[in-house]
Every structure is written in structure tokens, then in C-alpha cells.
């Protein structure tokens, strides 16, 4: 019923690194050619954990957007915008909070997990408790059908589905729903209206899944229906009410296979990152000073790549022939650690070269970036306003 649409965001809490690129941005670049994509700067979300460091957020927003463009995110293919520039996010969050049971928020798995991981921060705030609901509002305001997430974020998508389901159940049953639905059926034309009612009967009386699929396809192809009528007919087909908010699906993404320089997860807090647009000399120095297998004290000592952080970089950046060379050279002491590291340096610099070139115009002329984001915010806000008009109507807030 809803057009296929992908939504994803990123919090501006510091400069991006190669972990972000391999874990998120490469996937965004791929998705923008397959779906209608909206990518946003989640600056309000950043405040849930960094409310006492607003300058970090302010300093990171525009640099992060340049990083996205440098990575290959194309504003001609995807809509880029800033969360706080679309006030409808906050309005929907507020209205959803009126119908969200408190226990649902407290049961979100990452709530206690994040409090433990970020024990140095005071997260006993309403904003932190409510951030999954704000996340749901981000998704539902655009009626996104797919949200790219890792496995640890799947509960957030299920939470969003539950919120949408509860909202639709509470407000999708208009007083005159059936009367409006039958009027909408007539707009299909005599032949299609008859087929629609036959398919509805087959599904509701016999549980015929094929009839349901055929009915949905018929509605998706219908050209002369308003959005409200289309939503009513989808609900009427399934025996429910008007479908106001979408129930998004999780689009599972692989976790980044690129570790930090010390073998741990690449993270600013571990001081083990390589920046997305870092200077070549700095990258080379960092790779050359990476720790290696402790067994290789001297050049002639054989080692084991499985115990060396550099090997994890070869798994990302090297082909089979190069990996075989590393395996044989390391285990026989045929190559030294600096020789092993050089192909990694070359590969990272080659990967970053086009990124630096794509970033340059936006660094030299910031108005280019501001214009892209202004256009993106305008497009996003039109979609958000369309959703909010219906939300206000069904919640009785459309009076003058």
C-alpha cells in the first residue's frame, strides 16, 4: 500500500571513520540505486546522550554530510536532510507518546544495555528513555517501508511496528469508515470494484492469501484514488480500519568487518580509527605502527596472521592472491611486517582518493552543501506534512 521507501540516519557526534564507511555508507550508496531513500542527520538523537556537549554536535553536522557525499551518497538519487529542520518529527513523537505504554519503552533491549555501556554519562532522562519512540516517529513520519539496521537494532523496528499497529487500531476506525470505504470502492470503476469485493470476500471468508495479494495489487495499480481512499480500501480489504501509518520491515545489513587499528571495534573512544578523509601521511603512519603478532619479535621470527590485526585489514582490502602471499610470507618469515602492511596502506589510500576528490567542491564552497540540504529538507518536510495532516485529522486535531 505504501511506496517502497528506505529511511536511515546517523548521529553527528564526531568525525566519521572507515568503520562507518564499511558498516553504513557503502550500503547507503547501494540502496540509493534500488529504493526511494531518505538519509538524515539525527541531531536530536545525538542530544539524548550528548546533551551536555552541544558544540560537538554543531561542529559535526556539516562535516558528516560532506563525508556522506564523499563516500558516494548522491543527492540526485537520495534525499538528504537534518532531523531538527523538520519539526513534524517532534510533533509526531509527542502525539505517539500519548498512546505508548511506558512498559514498552522500558523493555527495549538497548535501553539498559546503553546505560551500562555509557555509565560515564547521566542517562536517567526522559529523552533517553523516549529515544526509541523518537526513532519510531522518524520512520513513521515518512511511512518508510524498510529500515537498514544491524541485528542489534531489529527490536527497535519491531517496536516501531507495534506502535504503528496500535495507532492504526486506535484511530483507523472512523465512525463512518465502511460508508467511506464503499464510496471509495465505486471510484475503482464497475469492473474493478466488482473484482475488489470478490477478492475481499474470498480473503475474509476463506483466508485466501492469493486473493489478498491480488487485492493489494489491484489497489496499488489504481490511478484515481486519493491517499485517504487508498488507505481505507487497504484496511477494508483486510477487515481492519484505515491504514494510517506503515509497519516497516527491518532491512538487515552486515556489520562492518573492519576492526580498529588495535584489533578491537573501530571507535573514537578507543582511539583506534582511520578517518574517512584523513591525510595520506597520517594513514600511512598509523598503519605502519599497528601492532602485529606478538610472536614476531624479530624479522626472522615466523608469525600467525590470525593473531595479527593487520590480517583483518587484508580480509577487507586484499584479494585471494594477496592473502595467500601474506599467509605464506608471515608463517615462514618470508616477509616482514612492514612489507605486509604496505598493500593495506596502498589499498586504503586508493579507496580514499575519489572520496577526497568528491569532498573538495563542498569544502571549497560551503553554499553547495547548504543548497543540497535545503532542497532535501523541503522534500522531506512535504512528505512529513502529508502524514501529519492525516494524523491530526484522526486524532481530532484538525479543527480551526
Amino acid at each position: 500500500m505504501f511506496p517502497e521507501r528506505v529511511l536511515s540516519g546517523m548521529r553527528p557526534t564526531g568525525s566519521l571513520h572507515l568503520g562507518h564507511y564499511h558498516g553504513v555508507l557503502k550500503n547507503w550508496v547501494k540502496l540509493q540505486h534500488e529504493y526511494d531513500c531518505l538519509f538524515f542527520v539525527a541531531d536530536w538523537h545525538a542530544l539524548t546522550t550528548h546533551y551536555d556537549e552541544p558544540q560537538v554536535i554543531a561542529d559535526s553536522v556539516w562535516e558528516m554530510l560532506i563525508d556522506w557525499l564523499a563516500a558516494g551518497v548522491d543527492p540526485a538519487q537520495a534525499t538528504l536532510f537534518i532531523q531538527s529542520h523538520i519539526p513534524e518529527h517532534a510533533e509526531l513523537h509527542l502525539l505517539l507518546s500519548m498512546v505508548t505504554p511506558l512498559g514498552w519503552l522500558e523493555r527495549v533491549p538497548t535501553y539498559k544495555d546503553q546505560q551500562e555501556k555509557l555509565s560515564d554519562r547521566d542517562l536517567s532522562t526522559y529523552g533517553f528513555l523516549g529515544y526509541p519512540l523518537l526513532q519510531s516517529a522518524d520512520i513513521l513520519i515518512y511511512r518508510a517501508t524498510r529500515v537498514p539496521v544491524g541485528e542489534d537494532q531489529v527490536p527497535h523496528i519491531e517496536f516501531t511496528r507495534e506502535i504503528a499497529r496500535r495507532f492504526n487500531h486506535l484511530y483507523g476506525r472512523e465512525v463512518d469508515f465502511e460508508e467511506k470505504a464503499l464510496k471509495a470502492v465505486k471510484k475503482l470503476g464497475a469492473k474493478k470494484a466488482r473484482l475488489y469485493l470478490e477478492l475481499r470476500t474470498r480473503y475474509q471468508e476463506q483466508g485466501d492469501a492469493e486473493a489478498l495479494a491480488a487485492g493489494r495489487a489491484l489497489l496499488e495499480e489504481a490511478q484515481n484514488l486519493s491517499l485517504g481512499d487508498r488507505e481505507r480500501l487497504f484496511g477494508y480489504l483486510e477487515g481492519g480500519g484505515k491504514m494510517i501509518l506503515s509497519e516497516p520491515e527491518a532491512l538487515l545489513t552486515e556489520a562492518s568487518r573492519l576492526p580498529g587499528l588495535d584489533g578491537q571495534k573501530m571507535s573514537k573512544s578507543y582511539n583506534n580509527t582511520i578517518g574517512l578523509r584523513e591525510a595520506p601521511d597520517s594513514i600511512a603512519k598509523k598503519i605502519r605502527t599497528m601492532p602485529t603478532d606478538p610472536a614476531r619479535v624479530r624479522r626472522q621470527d615466523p608469525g600467525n596472521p590470525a593473531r595479527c590485526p593487520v590480517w583483518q585489514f587484508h580480509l577487507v582490502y586484499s584479494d585471494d592472491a594477496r592473502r595467500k602471499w601474506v599467509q605464506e610470507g608471515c608463517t615462514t618469515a618470508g616477509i616482514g611486517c612492514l612489507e605486509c602492511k604496505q598493500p593495506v596502506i596502498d589499498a586504503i589510500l586508493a579507496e580514499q582518493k575519489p572520496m577526497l576528490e568528491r569532498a573538495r567542491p563542498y569544502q571549497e564552497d560551503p553554499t553547495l552543501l547548504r543548497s543540497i540540504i535545503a532542497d532535501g529538507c523541503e522534500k522531506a518536510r512535504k512528505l512529513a506534512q502529508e502524514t501529519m495532516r492525516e494524523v491530526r485529522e484522526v486524532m481530532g486535531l484538525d479543527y480551526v
Side-chain angles (χ1 to χ4, degrees):
M1 116 164 240
F2 296 103
E4 286 286 294
R5 184 175 292 150
V6 166
L7 179 111
S8 189
M10 196 178 290
R11 303 192 317 159
T13 56
S15 57
L16 299 190
H17 51 67
L18 290 186
H20 294 115
Y21 175 66
H22 288 278
V24 178
L25 293 176
K26 278 179 74 173
N27 189 46
W28 283 10
V29 171
K30 174 176 173 286
L31 290 172
Q32 70 185 355
H33 299 295
E34 300 172 359
Y35 298 97
D36 174 17
C37 289
L38 295 102
F39 301 132
F40 71 98
V41 176
D43 51 346
W44 278 339
H45 278 295
L47 285 170
T48 61
T49 54
H50 290 68
Y51 58 84
D52 55 344
E53 298 176 345
Q55 195 54 46
V56 172
I57 299 170
D59 292 343
S60 301
V61 168
W62 298 104
E63 283 301 309
M64 186 172 78
L65 285 165
I66 292 176
D67 283 338
W68 293 2
L69 297 169
V73 176
D74 184 355
Q77 299 283 338
T79 301
L80 310 183
F81 65 98
I82 298 172
Q83 180 188 34
S84 65
H85 290 197
I86 316 295
E88 285 77 11
H89 284 243
E91 183 182 3
L92 184 58
H93 176 219
L94 171 69
L95 295 178
L96 292 178
S97 74
M98 304 301 179
V99 303
T100 302
L102 185 60
W104 288 15
L105 290 167
E106 293 172 332
R107 286 199 303 269
V108 174
T110 52
Y111 175 59
K112 289 184 178 178
D113 180 55
Q114 285 293 305
Q115 281 189 319
E116 291 172 3
K117 285 183 178 178
L118 301 173
S119 57
D120 59 321
R121 297 184 177 277
D122 178 12
L123 299 181
S124 300
T125 63
Y126 168 75
F128 185 73
L129 174 66
Y131 89 88
L133 189 61
L134 177 57
Q135 194 174 57
S136 295
D138 297 332
I139 298 166
L140 298 175
I141 196 79
Y142 299 106
R143 290 164 164 156
T145 55
R146 296 174 185 269
V147 184
V149 292
E151 286 189 16
D152 61 327
Q153 289 287 310
V154 170
H156 285 265
I157 306 307
E158 185 53 42
F159 172 79
T160 301
R161 289 171 59 82
E162 289 177 353
I163 294 294
R165 205 172 297 135
R166 178 173 170 82
F167 188 92
N168 290 336
H169 174 74
L170 287 170
Y171 300 108
R173 271 293 181 186
E174 303 160 290
V175 176
D176 52 355
F177 172 73
E178 188 157 349
E179 180 184 340
K180 287 183 176 178
L182 289 172
K183 285 183 179 178
V185 170
K186 293 179 181 178
K187 295 178 183 178
L188 293 170
K191 185 176 179 181
K192 288 185 177 179
R194 191 163 49 249
L195 176 58
Y196 169 85
L197 292 172
E198 288 173 3
L199 293 170
R200 178 179 182 271
T201 300
R202 279 170 49 194
Y203 172 66
Q204 293 194 20
E205 293 184 1
Q206 304 167 30
D208 188 337
E210 290 184 3
L212 176 61
R216 286 173 172 168
L218 185 152
L219 293 176
E220 285 168 0
E221 293 169 3
Q223 300 293 318
N224 58 336
L225 293 175
S226 68
L227 182 60
D229 280 340
R230 195 181 301 274
E231 290 168 352
R232 288 185 187 94
L233 290 184
F234 270 101
Y236 191 59
L237 175 67
E238 298 180 25
K242 182 179 176 183
M243 298 285 287
I244 305 159
L245 300 178
S246 64
E247 291 186 30
E249 299 283 346
L251 194 60
L252 279 176
T253 59
E254 290 185 17
S256 173
R257 294 184 299 143
L258 189 69
L261 294 164
D262 55 2
Q264 300 183 83
K265 177 182 177 181
M266 188 173 284
S267 171
K268 294 184 290 290
S269 60
Y270 296 152
N271 195 29
N272 65 356
T273 66
I274 294 175
L276 200 63
R277 292 179 283 128
E278 194 161 334
D281 289 348
S282 176
I283 292 174
K285 182 179 179 181
K286 284 183 176 181
I287 300 294
R288 289 190 185 113
T289 55
M290 278 181 69
T292 56
D293 180 1
R296 297 208 70 179
V297 178
R298 295 175 295 275
R299 167 68 173 76
Q300 62 268 30
D301 293 331
N304 180 354
R307 293 199 296 261
C308 178
V310 180
W311 174 245
Q312 299 302 316
F313 279 71
H314 277 291
L315 292 177
V316 173
Y317 286 104
S318 297
D319 58 18
D320 289 341
R322 178 69 68 187
R323 291 173 195 163
K324 183 179 180 181
W325 173 78
V326 171
Q327 285 276 10
E328 292 177 353
C330 181
T331 54
T332 63
I335 61 172
C337 291
L338 286 177
E339 291 174 82
C340 175
K341 292 174 177 178
Q342 190 57 48
V344 172
I345 295 171
D346 295 340
I348 292 176
L349 294 183
E351 179 181 69
Q352 292 214 347
K353 184 178 179 181
M355 294 188 196
L356 295 172
E357 291 173 354
R358 283 193 288 260
R360 190 170 295 115
Y362 305 107
Q363 292 172 308
E364 294 175 350
D365 185 0
T367 61
L368 291 174
L369 180 59
R370 302 274 174 165
S371 177
I372 287 170
I373 299 308
D375 288 345
C377 287
E378 183 179 354
K379 291 177 186 176
R381 191 161 191 201
K382 283 181 180 177
L383 293 173
Q385 288 174 332
E386 183 179 280
T387 302
M388 287 311 303
R389 274 194 293 272
E390 293 201 51
V391 169
R392 293 187 199 109
E393 178 187 347
V394 299
M395 294 187 79
L397 299 172
D398 60 338
Y399 50 82
V400 178

